[in-house]
Amino acid sequence: MSTRLEAVLNRIDDANSADPNVEQDGLQEAPAALLYGQRMSNVLAGFETGAGELLQIAVRGQHIERWKRPRKDYPQGRVGYLEWRRDAARYHAVRVGELMRLEGYSDEECERVGVLIRKKGIKSDAEAQTLEDVACLVFMRWYFSPFASARPADELFRIVEKTARKMSSAGRDAALQLPLPAELVPAITGGE
């Protein structure tokens, strides 16, 4: 790992360490944003062993300081949700770019990471697709169960199906290795 990559990942972690929301990780508690970013990096390392430096930064910083832009500040419903997601992605891209510049990354490198964080070109940009796959895998592995407990089975199936459609075939294959309920496997495989 290059010195500047390590430095910018540390800056992202330092920023995310300020998250007032705490999450249990095994026997320890950790700031939720810090834990999410580290989980993203760990999944990336296992999913795409040759990931480039800029993709590694985008993956770690995808939700940097997410608590500063809470969903509750936007209207309920799909329109409000999409506005929140768009605004958050812009903020995350700008914030990570600021930290990258402090470590000597060029404007072009910062812009590329911003494109990845904003997930521009999923399905046509291999790195953007990898980031999306990793985000979906992290969701399914660590955040799915609490999310699922508050939803009826048919809604849950549709959500998993929609998530799987955003993933590459390699991402779906990796998802099938996760401990998901058997009744949701057809949502990932498309009924194969």
Side-chain angles (χ1 to χ4, degrees):
M1 178 181 302
S2 76
T3 303
R4 70 180 187 159
L5 172 59
E6 185 175 359
V8 80
L9 294 180
N10 286 335
R11 285 184 183 275
I12 292 168
D13 286 352
D14 287 347
N16 282 336
S17 291
D19 189 348
N21 303 296
V22 176
E23 192 174 314
Q24 195 70 30
D25 184 34
L27 300 175
Q28 294 183 295
E29 288 186 340
L34 174 66
L35 193 54
Y36 179 83
Q38 291 173 345
R39 287 172 173 166
M40 289 285 290
S41 289
N42 290 338
V43 169
L44 175 65
F47 181 71
E48 182 62 54
T49 56
E53 197 166 308
L54 300 182
L55 178 56
Q56 290 180 57
I57 294 168
V59 162
R60 184 69 141 256
Q62 178 193 305
H63 286 169
I64 190 170
E65 300 174 337
R66 191 173 200 186
W67 72 93
K68 292 184 174 184
R69 299 191 103 60
R71 169 66 179 100
K72 69 177 179 53
D73 289 354
Y74 290 80
Q76 292 300 311
R78 181 158 175 76
V79 171
Y81 171 76
L82 293 175
E83 182 183 353
W84 167 68
R85 291 266 318 250
R86 195 173 35 253
D87 287 353
R90 275 191 229 121
Y91 172 78
H92 301 316
V94 168
R95 184 71 174 109
V96 171
E98 290 169 354
L99 298 179
M100 290 175 68
R101 283 181 185 87
L102 293 173
E103 297 304 331
Y105 285 89
S106 69
D107 288 342
E108 292 77 20
E109 290 168 316
C110 295
E111 179 53 35
R112 175 64 181 153
V113 168
V115 165
L116 294 174
I117 289 173
R118 291 188 311 275
K119 297 182 185 173
K120 299 286 185 185
I122 292 176
K123 301 293 182 187
S124 61
D125 180 324
E127 288 184 317
Q129 183 61 60
T130 297
L131 190 149
E132 182 64 26
D133 286 343
V134 168
C136 291
L137 291 168
V138 166
F139 166 72
M140 289 179 177
R141 170 65 180 86
W142 283 282
Y143 302 96
F144 178 77
S145 290
F147 177 82
S149 65
R151 286 167 177 75
D154 61 329
E155 179 185 352
L156 194 57
F157 189 90
R158 285 192 308 273
I159 290 168
V160 172
E161 197 173 41
K162 187 175 177 181
T163 299
R165 279 196 303 266
K166 294 189 294 184
M167 299 174 82
S168 68
S169 59
R172 288 189 298 275
D173 288 346
L176 292 172
Q177 305 306 310
L178 298 173
L180 296 174
E183 63 270 16
L184 294 177
V185 169
I188 295 169
T189 62
E192 298 171 0

